[in-house]
Amino acid sequence: MKFLVIPFLAVYMFALTEDSSFITKYEYGQMLYENPRGIGCIKCHGKNGRGEIIASYKDRKDDKLITKTIIAPDITKISLNDFKNVLNVKRSESLVMPTYFLTDEEIESIHYYISNKDNK
Ligand code: HEC
């Protein structure tokens, strides 16, 4: 029995040191992007983070009806620093995007995922 257990243990320990987390940073980022504590980023910024029109509506300007849109911007080419600033700031100033309470590690993972998505 001992002879079986030892090689198993060795393989298991090797696997542990190779990648100590069960999911990769990319997968973790994807999970958070789709489901951060709160409404998913994916709902507004779209599946690939390329931005989307969230809503369009008619408004009156000089007695004419015009179409206005609310757009969630492309977030695939934003630096990590700007990304952190946007997500750490209390968003009472924004009328659309909610305030999140994410740790730096979580923000980094989302940033990593959304910036590398096209290369996969
Ligand atoms: C309800 C829709 C909505 C959700 C959900 C949302 N956003 Fe946004 N986001 C916006 C809008 C709209 C803007 C444009 C600026 C503003 O109004 O605040 C924006 C701006 C940004 C920006 C700045 C882009 C720039 O060009 O400066 C980043 C980065 C960002 N969002 C990341 C995220 C991440 C990451 C999540 C999820 C944790 C998320 N957003 C969830 C609507 C949303």
Side-chain angles (χ1 to χ4, degrees), residues 83-119:
F83 213 82
K84 278 189 180 162
N85 285 340
V86 170
L87 287 160
N88 276 329
V89 135
K90 249 198 121 205
R91 301 199 57 83
S92 50
E93 297 297 311
S94 168
L95 299 171
V96 182
M97 188 166 146
T99 302
Y100 289 93
F101 299 92
L102 299 165
T103 65
D104 271 2
E105 196 200 353
E106 288 170 331
I107 294 172
E108 273 169 42
S109 299
I110 300 177
H111 181 261
Y112 179 81
Y113 166 70
I114 211 68
S115 312
N116 287 292
K117 203 169 180 349
D118 284 348
N119 308 330

mmCIF file of all heavy atoms in Angstrom, residues 83-119:
data_model
loop_
_atom_site.group_PDB
_atom_site.id
_atom_site.type_symbol
_atom_site.label_atom_id
_atom_site.label_comp_id
_atom_site.label_asym_id
_atom_site.label_seq_id
_atom_site.Cartn_x
_atom_site.Cartn_y
_atom_site.Cartn_z
ATOM 1 N N PHE A 83 -8.364 51.591 -14.350
ATOM 2 C CA PHE A 83 -9.379 50.595 -14.009
ATOM 3 C C PHE A 83 -9.645 50.636 -12.504
ATOM 4 O O PHE A 83 -10.782 50.681 -12.053
ATOM 5 C CB PHE A 83 -8.842 49.207 -14.395
ATOM 6 C CG PHE A 83 -9.892 48.236 -14.843
ATOM 7 C CD1 PHE A 83 -10.366 48.266 -16.146
ATOM 8 C CD2 PHE A 83 -10.382 47.265 -13.989
ATOM 9 C CE1 PHE A 83 -11.322 47.361 -16.575
ATOM 10 C CE2 PHE A 83 -11.343 46.350 -14.419
ATOM 11 C CZ PHE A 83 -11.804 46.402 -15.701
ATOM 12 N N LYS A 84 -8.547 50.656 -11.734
ATOM 13 C CA LYS A 84 -8.671 50.705 -10.270
ATOM 14 C C LYS A 84 -9.347 51.984 -9.834
ATOM 15 O O LYS A 84 -10.198 51.977 -8.954
ATOM 16 C CB LYS A 84 -7.294 50.610 -9.622
ATOM 17 C CG LYS A 84 -6.792 49.182 -9.522
ATOM 18 C CD LYS A 84 -5.529 49.131 -8.680
ATOM 19 C CE LYS A 84 -5.028 47.702 -8.580
ATOM 20 N NZ LYS A 84 -3.629 47.642 -8.163
ATOM 21 N N ASN A 85 -8.945 53.098 -10.451
ATOM 22 C CA ASN A 85 -9.538 54.376 -10.068
ATOM 23 C C ASN A 85 -11.046 54.370 -10.279
ATOM 24 O O ASN A 85 -11.805 54.793 -9.419
ATOM 25 C CB ASN A 85 -8.913 55.518 -10.872
ATOM 26 C CG ASN A 85 -7.521 55.833 -10.366
ATOM 27 O OD1 ASN A 85 -7.175 55.495 -9.241
ATOM 28 N ND2 ASN A 85 -6.723 56.455 -11.212
ATOM 29 N N VAL A 86 -11.454 53.873 -11.436
ATOM 30 C CA VAL A 86 -12.880 53.851 -11.741
ATOM 31 C C VAL A 86 -13.627 52.984 -10.738
ATOM 32 O O VAL A 86 -14.689 53.355 -10.244
ATOM 33 C CB VAL A 86 -13.129 53.316 -13.174
ATOM 34 C CG1 VAL A 86 -14.599 53.059 -13.403
ATOM 35 C CG2 VAL A 86 -12.596 54.302 -14.197
ATOM 36 N N LEU A 87 -13.050 51.831 -10.392
ATOM 37 C CA LEU A 87 -13.784 50.894 -9.548
ATOM 38 C C LEU A 87 -13.665 51.181 -8.054
ATOM 39 O O LEU A 87 -14.429 50.657 -7.261
ATOM 40 C CB LEU A 87 -13.347 49.461 -9.858
ATOM 41 C CG LEU A 87 -13.918 49.009 -11.206
ATOM 42 C CD1 LEU A 87 -13.138 47.845 -11.767
ATOM 43 C CD2 LEU A 87 -15.385 48.656 -11.094
ATOM 44 N N ASN A 88 -12.708 52.020 -7.692
ATOM 45 C CA ASN A 88 -12.561 52.318 -6.266
ATOM 46 C C ASN A 88 -13.296 53.571 -5.846
ATOM 47 O O ASN A 88 -13.535 53.804 -4.673
ATOM 48 C CB ASN A 88 -11.075 52.459 -5.908
ATOM 49 C CG ASN A 88 -10.461 51.105 -5.646
ATOM 50 O OD1 ASN A 88 -11.130 50.196 -5.176
ATOM 51 N ND2 ASN A 88 -9.199 50.954 -5.980
ATOM 52 N N VAL A 89 -13.637 54.369 -6.854
ATOM 53 C CA VAL A 89 -14.275 55.636 -6.560
ATOM 54 C C VAL A 89 -15.749 55.404 -6.237
ATOM 55 O O VAL A 89 -16.375 54.515 -6.800
ATOM 56 C CB VAL A 89 -14.093 56.546 -7.796
ATOM 57 C CG1 VAL A 89 -15.348 57.258 -8.170
ATOM 58 C CG2 VAL A 89 -12.932 57.478 -7.583
ATOM 59 N N LYS A 90 -16.261 56.161 -5.305
ATOM 60 C CA LYS A 90 -17.685 56.070 -5.048
ATOM 61 C C LYS A 90 -18.399 56.666 -6.232
ATOM 62 O O LYS A 90 -18.089 57.774 -6.658
ATOM 63 C CB LYS A 90 -18.047 56.838 -3.768
ATOM 64 C CG LYS A 90 -18.466 55.888 -2.674
ATOM 65 C CD LYS A 90 -19.222 56.562 -1.574
ATOM 66 C CE LYS A 90 -20.582 55.890 -1.481
ATOM 67 N NZ LYS A 90 -21.576 56.736 -0.912
ATOM 68 N N ARG A 91 -19.302 55.935 -6.795
ATOM 69 C CA ARG A 91 -19.814 56.341 -8.085
ATOM 70 C C ARG A 91 -21.093 57.164 -8.034
ATOM 71 O O ARG A 91 -21.884 57.141 -8.952
ATOM 72 C CB ARG A 91 -19.978 55.116 -8.978
ATOM 73 C CG ARG A 91 -18.652 54.392 -9.166
ATOM 74 C CD ARG A 91 -18.659 53.498 -10.350
ATOM 75 N NE ARG A 91 -18.968 54.190 -11.575
ATOM 76 C CZ ARG A 91 -18.083 54.860 -12.296
ATOM 77 N NH1 ARG A 91 -16.852 54.951 -11.911
ATOM 78 N NH2 ARG A 91 -18.456 55.432 -13.413
ATOM 79 N N SER A 92 -21.238 57.905 -6.972
ATOM 80 C CA SER A 92 -22.442 58.725 -6.882
ATOM 81 C C SER A 92 -22.490 59.736 -8.031
ATOM 82 O O SER A 92 -23.539 60.230 -8.397
ATOM 83 C CB SER A 92 -22.497 59.445 -5.541
ATOM 84 O OG SER A 92 -21.267 60.080 -5.303
ATOM 85 N N GLU A 93 -21.301 60.031 -8.601
ATOM 86 C CA GLU A 93 -21.236 60.983 -9.708
ATOM 87 C C GLU A 93 -21.816 60.384 -10.987
ATOM 88 O O GLU A 93 -22.365 61.083 -11.811
ATOM 89 C CB GLU A 93 -19.785 61.387 -9.984
ATOM 90 C CG GLU A 93 -19.116 62.110 -8.826
ATOM 91 C CD GLU A 93 -19.790 63.430 -8.487
ATOM 92 O OE1 GLU A 93 -20.026 64.205 -9.425
ATOM 93 O OE2 GLU A 93 -20.098 63.656 -7.312
ATOM 94 N N SER A 94 -21.639 59.080 -11.150
ATOM 95 C CA SER A 94 -22.151 58.429 -12.345
ATOM 96 C C SER A 94 -23.629 58.140 -12.167
ATOM 97 O O SER A 94 -24.073 57.695 -11.123
ATOM 98 C CB SER A 94 -21.422 57.119 -12.605
ATOM 99 O OG SER A 94 -22.117 56.392 -13.599
ATOM 100 N N LEU A 95 -24.357 58.411 -13.211
ATOM 101 C CA LEU A 95 -25.788 58.156 -13.115
ATOM 102 C C LEU A 95 -26.121 56.718 -13.483
ATOM 103 O O LEU A 95 -27.209 56.252 -13.258
ATOM 104 C CB LEU A 95 -26.539 59.107 -14.044
ATOM 105 C CG LEU A 95 -26.332 60.581 -13.709
ATOM 106 C CD1 LEU A 95 -26.923 61.470 -14.799
ATOM 107 C CD2 LEU A 95 -26.956 60.913 -12.359
ATOM 108 N N VAL A 96 -25.161 56.038 -14.065
ATOM 109 C CA VAL A 96 -25.466 54.722 -14.605
ATOM 110 C C VAL A 96 -24.714 53.593 -13.908
ATOM 111 O O VAL A 96 -25.314 52.661 -13.390
ATOM 112 C CB VAL A 96 -25.162 54.677 -16.124
ATOM 113 C CG1 VAL A 96 -25.529 53.306 -16.683
ATOM 114 C CG2 VAL A 96 -25.920 55.760 -16.858
ATOM 115 N N MET A 97 -23.386 53.695 -13.916
ATOM 116 C CA MET A 97 -22.617 52.571 -13.386
ATOM 117 C C MET A 97 -22.686 52.510 -11.868
ATOM 118 O O MET A 97 -22.523 53.514 -11.189
ATOM 119 C CB MET A 97 -21.161 52.688 -13.828
ATOM 120 C CG MET A 97 -20.372 51.453 -13.462
ATOM 121 S SD MET A 97 -18.812 51.418 -14.324
ATOM 122 C CE MET A 97 -17.801 50.645 -13.092
ATOM 123 N N PRO A 98 -22.956 51.326 -11.325
ATOM 124 C CA PRO A 98 -23.086 51.203 -9.867
ATOM 125 C C PRO A 98 -21.740 51.267 -9.138
ATOM 126 O O PRO A 98 -20.689 51.145 -9.751
ATOM 127 C CB PRO A 98 -23.726 49.830 -9.676
ATOM 128 C CG PRO A 98 -23.490 49.072 -10.932
ATOM 129 C CD PRO A 98 -23.216 50.055 -12.013
ATOM 130 N N THR A 99 -21.783 51.450 -7.835
ATOM 131 C CA THR A 99 -20.584 51.387 -6.990
ATOM 132 C C THR A 99 -20.355 49.934 -6.601
ATOM 133 O O THR A 99 -21.288 49.237 -6.226
ATOM 134 C CB THR A 99 -20.801 52.202 -5.692
ATOM 135 O OG1 THR A 99 -21.106 53.540 -6.054
ATOM 136 C CG2 THR A 99 -19.571 52.185 -4.811
ATOM 137 N N TYR A 100 -19.111 49.500 -6.717
ATOM 138 C CA TYR A 100 -18.786 48.135 -6.316
ATOM 139 C C TYR A 100 -17.867 48.166 -5.122
ATOM 140 O O TYR A 100 -17.219 49.175 -4.859
ATOM 141 C CB TYR A 100 -18.086 47.394 -7.465
ATOM 142 C CG TYR A 100 -19.006 47.065 -8.609
ATOM 143 C CD1 TYR A 100 -19.123 47.925 -9.690
ATOM 144 C CD2 TYR A 100 -19.759 45.902 -8.598
ATOM 145 C CE1 TYR A 100 -19.966 47.635 -10.740
ATOM 146 C CE2 TYR A 100 -20.614 45.605 -9.650
ATOM 147 C CZ TYR A 100 -20.719 46.473 -10.712
ATOM 148 O OH TYR A 100 -21.559 46.185 -11.749
ATOM 149 N N PHE A 101 -17.818 47.068 -4.387
ATOM 150 C CA PHE A 101 -16.895 46.968 -3.270
ATOM 151 C C PHE A 101 -15.995 45.776 -3.527
ATOM 152 O O PHE A 101 -16.164 44.713 -2.971
ATOM 153 C CB PHE A 101 -17.678 46.836 -1.957
ATOM 154 C CG PHE A 101 -18.561 48.033 -1.715
ATOM 155 C CD1 PHE A 101 -19.884 48.043 -2.153
ATOM 156 C CD2 PHE A 101 -18.046 49.170 -1.109
ATOM 157 C CE1 PHE A 101 -20.693 49.162 -1.964
ATOM 158 C CE2 PHE A 101 -18.855 50.295 -0.918
ATOM 159 C CZ PHE A 101 -20.170 50.295 -1.346
ATOM 160 N N LEU A 102 -15.043 45.985 -4.431
ATOM 161 C CA LEU A 102 -14.153 44.902 -4.832
ATOM 162 C C LEU A 102 -12.762 45.147 -4.259
ATOM 163 O O LEU A 102 -12.340 46.289 -4.118
ATOM 164 C CB LEU A 102 -14.068 44.841 -6.363
ATOM 165 C CG LEU A 102 -15.387 44.558 -7.098
ATOM 166 C CD1 LEU A 102 -15.261 44.886 -8.569
ATOM 167 C CD2 LEU A 102 -15.805 43.107 -6.917
ATOM 168 N N THR A 103 -12.057 44.061 -3.919
ATOM 169 C CA THR A 103 -10.687 44.198 -3.429
ATOM 170 C C THR A 103 -9.771 44.468 -4.623
ATOM 171 O O THR A 103 -10.149 44.229 -5.776
ATOM 172 C CB THR A 103 -10.210 42.912 -2.725
ATOM 173 O OG1 THR A 103 -10.152 41.864 -3.707
ATOM 174 C CG2 THR A 103 -11.161 42.507 -1.610
ATOM 175 N N ASP A 104 -8.549 44.945 -4.335
ATOM 176 C CA ASP A 104 -7.578 45.199 -5.403
ATOM 177 C C ASP A 104 -7.320 43.937 -6.220
ATOM 178 O O ASP A 104 -7.200 43.991 -7.434
ATOM 179 C CB ASP A 104 -6.251 45.693 -4.811
ATOM 180 C CG ASP A 104 -6.246 47.208 -4.671
ATOM 181 O OD1 ASP A 104 -7.274 47.839 -4.999
ATOM 182 O OD2 ASP A 104 -5.213 47.751 -4.230
ATOM 183 N N GLU A 105 -7.249 42.807 -5.526
ATOM 184 C CA GLU A 105 -6.980 41.544 -6.205
ATOM 185 C C GLU A 105 -8.126 41.213 -7.177
ATOM 186 O O GLU A 105 -7.895 40.747 -8.285
ATOM 187 C CB GLU A 105 -6.813 40.435 -5.161
ATOM 188 C CG GLU A 105 -6.157 39.199 -5.722
ATOM 189 C CD GLU A 105 -6.420 37.964 -4.876
ATOM 190 O OE1 GLU A 105 -7.017 38.096 -3.773
ATOM 191 O OE2 GLU A 105 -6.062 36.873 -5.337
ATOM 192 N N GLU A 106 -9.337 41.469 -6.750
ATOM 193 C CA GLU A 106 -10.496 41.194 -7.606
ATOM 194 C C GLU A 106 -10.494 42.116 -8.824
ATOM 195 O O GLU A 106 -10.740 41.675 -9.948
ATOM 196 C CB GLU A 106 -11.788 41.355 -6.805
ATOM 197 C CG GLU A 106 -12.013 40.230 -5.807
ATOM 198 C CD GLU A 106 -13.159 40.498 -4.825
ATOM 199 O OE1 GLU A 106 -13.443 41.670 -4.517
ATOM 200 O OE2 GLU A 106 -13.759 39.522 -4.358
ATOM 201 N N ILE A 107 -10.183 43.389 -8.586
ATOM 202 C CA ILE A 107 -10.145 44.341 -9.694
ATOM 203 C C ILE A 107 -9.053 43.939 -10.688
ATOM 204 O O ILE A 107 -9.259 43.947 -11.899
ATOM 205 C CB ILE A 107 -9.915 45.776 -9.170
ATOM 206 C CG1 ILE A 107 -11.121 46.219 -8.333
ATOM 207 C CG2 ILE A 107 -9.691 46.748 -10.324
ATOM 208 C CD1 ILE A 107 -10.937 47.538 -7.611
ATOM 209 N N GLU A 108 -7.892 43.538 -10.158
ATOM 210 C CA GLU A 108 -6.789 43.109 -11.025
ATOM 211 C C GLU A 108 -7.183 41.908 -11.869
ATOM 212 O O GLU A 108 -6.831 41.821 -13.045
ATOM 213 C CB GLU A 108 -5.560 42.757 -10.180
ATOM 214 C CG GLU A 108 -4.689 43.955 -9.880
ATOM 215 C CD GLU A 108 -3.627 43.645 -8.829
ATOM 216 O OE1 GLU A 108 -3.019 42.542 -8.902
ATOM 217 O OE2 GLU A 108 -3.442 44.478 -7.945
ATOM 218 N N SER A 109 -7.919 40.978 -11.270
ATOM 219 C CA SER A 109 -8.328 39.777 -12.000
ATOM 220 C C SER A 109 -9.311 40.126 -13.121
ATOM 221 O O SER A 109 -9.197 39.608 -14.230
ATOM 222 C CB SER A 109 -8.979 38.768 -11.057
ATOM 223 O OG SER A 109 -8.064 38.382 -10.069
ATOM 224 N N ILE A 110 -10.244 41.006 -12.839
ATOM 225 C CA ILE A 110 -11.207 41.410 -13.873
ATOM 226 C C ILE A 110 -10.450 42.120 -14.994
ATOM 227 O O ILE A 110 -10.668 41.849 -16.179
ATOM 228 C CB ILE A 110 -12.295 42.354 -13.306
ATOM 229 C CG1 ILE A 110 -13.086 41.671 -12.200
ATOM 230 C CG2 ILE A 110 -13.243 42.783 -14.424
ATOM 231 C CD1 ILE A 110 -14.133 42.568 -11.541
ATOM 232 N N HIS A 111 -9.527 42.999 -14.608
ATOM 233 C CA HIS A 111 -8.741 43.740 -15.598
ATOM 234 C C HIS A 111 -7.927 42.767 -16.456
ATOM 235 O O HIS A 111 -7.882 42.875 -17.679
ATOM 236 C CB HIS A 111 -7.811 44.736 -14.902
ATOM 237 C CG HIS A 111 -6.985 45.540 -15.855
ATOM 238 N ND1 HIS A 111 -5.682 45.230 -16.154
ATOM 239 C CD2 HIS A 111 -7.303 46.624 -16.614
ATOM 240 C CE1 HIS A 111 -5.227 46.102 -17.040
ATOM 241 N NE2 HIS A 111 -6.178 46.949 -17.339
ATOM 242 N N TYR A 112 -7.309 41.797 -15.822
ATOM 243 C CA TYR A 112 -6.501 40.795 -16.528
ATOM 244 C C TYR A 112 -7.368 40.035 -17.534
ATOM 245 O O TYR A 112 -7.003 39.860 -18.690
ATOM 246 C CB TYR A 112 -5.898 39.826 -15.507
ATOM 247 C CG TYR A 112 -5.056 38.737 -16.127
ATOM 248 C CD1 TYR A 112 -3.747 38.997 -16.500
ATOM 249 C CD2 TYR A 112 -5.575 37.463 -16.337
ATOM 250 C CE1 TYR A 112 -2.974 38.002 -17.075
ATOM 251 C CE2 TYR A 112 -4.808 36.474 -16.907
ATOM 252 C CZ TYR A 112 -3.506 36.737 -17.278
ATOM 253 O OH TYR A 112 -2.753 35.758 -17.854
ATOM 254 N N TYR A 113 -8.526 39.621 -17.079
ATOM 255 C CA TYR A 113 -9.437 38.855 -17.937
ATOM 256 C C TYR A 113 -9.882 39.679 -19.149
ATOM 257 O O TYR A 113 -9.740 39.248 -20.287
ATOM 258 C CB TYR A 113 -10.656 38.401 -17.126
ATOM 259 C CG TYR A 113 -11.796 37.915 -17.973
ATOM 260 C CD1 TYR A 113 -11.695 36.706 -18.672
ATOM 261 C CD2 TYR A 113 -12.972 38.651 -18.096
ATOM 262 C CE1 TYR A 113 -12.730 36.264 -19.469
ATOM 263 C CE2 TYR A 113 -14.011 38.215 -18.892
ATOM 264 C CZ TYR A 113 -13.884 37.020 -19.578
ATOM 265 O OH TYR A 113 -14.912 36.591 -20.380
ATOM 266 N N ILE A 114 -10.372 40.868 -18.890
ATOM 267 C CA ILE A 114 -10.980 41.648 -19.966
ATOM 268 C C ILE A 114 -9.921 42.188 -20.933
ATOM 269 O O ILE A 114 -10.180 42.372 -22.117
ATOM 270 C CB ILE A 114 -11.912 42.758 -19.397
ATOM 271 C CG1 ILE A 114 -13.060 43.031 -20.356
ATOM 272 C CG2 ILE A 114 -11.189 44.048 -19.053
ATOM 273 C CD1 ILE A 114 -14.046 41.894 -20.481
ATOM 274 N N SER A 115 -8.693 42.396 -20.461
ATOM 275 C CA SER A 115 -7.628 42.887 -21.341
ATOM 276 C C SER A 115 -7.015 41.771 -22.168
ATOM 277 O O SER A 115 -6.377 42.027 -23.178
ATOM 278 C CB SER A 115 -6.508 43.548 -20.539
ATOM 279 O OG SER A 115 -7.023 44.451 -19.620
ATOM 280 N N ASN A 116 -7.163 40.523 -21.715
ATOM 281 C CA ASN A 116 -6.534 39.403 -22.424
ATOM 282 C C ASN A 116 -7.509 38.535 -23.191
ATOM 283 O O ASN A 116 -7.110 37.571 -23.839
ATOM 284 C CB ASN A 116 -5.766 38.522 -21.431
ATOM 285 C CG ASN A 116 -4.513 39.199 -20.956
ATOM 286 O OD1 ASN A 116 -3.571 39.390 -21.713
ATOM 287 N ND2 ASN A 116 -4.520 39.609 -19.711
ATOM 288 N N LYS A 117 -8.764 38.879 -23.126
ATOM 289 C CA LYS A 117 -9.799 38.057 -23.713
ATOM 290 C C LYS A 117 -9.570 37.781 -25.208
ATOM 291 O O LYS A 117 -9.734 36.670 -25.667
ATOM 292 C CB LYS A 117 -11.143 38.739 -23.523
ATOM 293 C CG LYS A 117 -12.299 37.786 -23.582
ATOM 294 C CD LYS A 117 -13.544 38.474 -23.116
ATOM 295 C CE LYS A 117 -14.767 37.587 -23.136
ATOM 296 N NZ LYS A 117 -14.659 36.327 -23.813
ATOM 297 N N ASP A 118 -9.151 38.797 -25.936
ATOM 298 C CA ASP A 118 -8.988 38.645 -27.382
ATOM 299 C C ASP A 118 -7.823 37.752 -27.766
ATOM 300 O O ASP A 118 -7.757 37.244 -28.868
ATOM 301 C CB ASP A 118 -8.805 40.015 -28.034
ATOM 302 C CG ASP A 118 -10.134 40.746 -28.121
ATOM 303 O OD1 ASP A 118 -11.165 40.092 -27.893
ATOM 304 O OD2 ASP A 118 -10.122 41.953 -28.411
ATOM 305 N N ASN A 119 -6.875 37.588 -26.840
ATOM 306 C CA ASN A 119 -5.705 36.764 -27.162
ATOM 307 C C ASN A 119 -5.951 35.291 -26.935
ATOM 308 O O ASN A 119 -5.120 34.454 -27.248
ATOM 309 C CB ASN A 119 -4.506 37.193 -26.309
ATOM 310 C CG ASN A 119 -4.262 38.683 -26.401
ATOM 311 O OD1 ASN A 119 -4.564 39.289 -27.427
ATOM 312 N ND2 ASN A 119 -3.731 39.277 -25.355
#
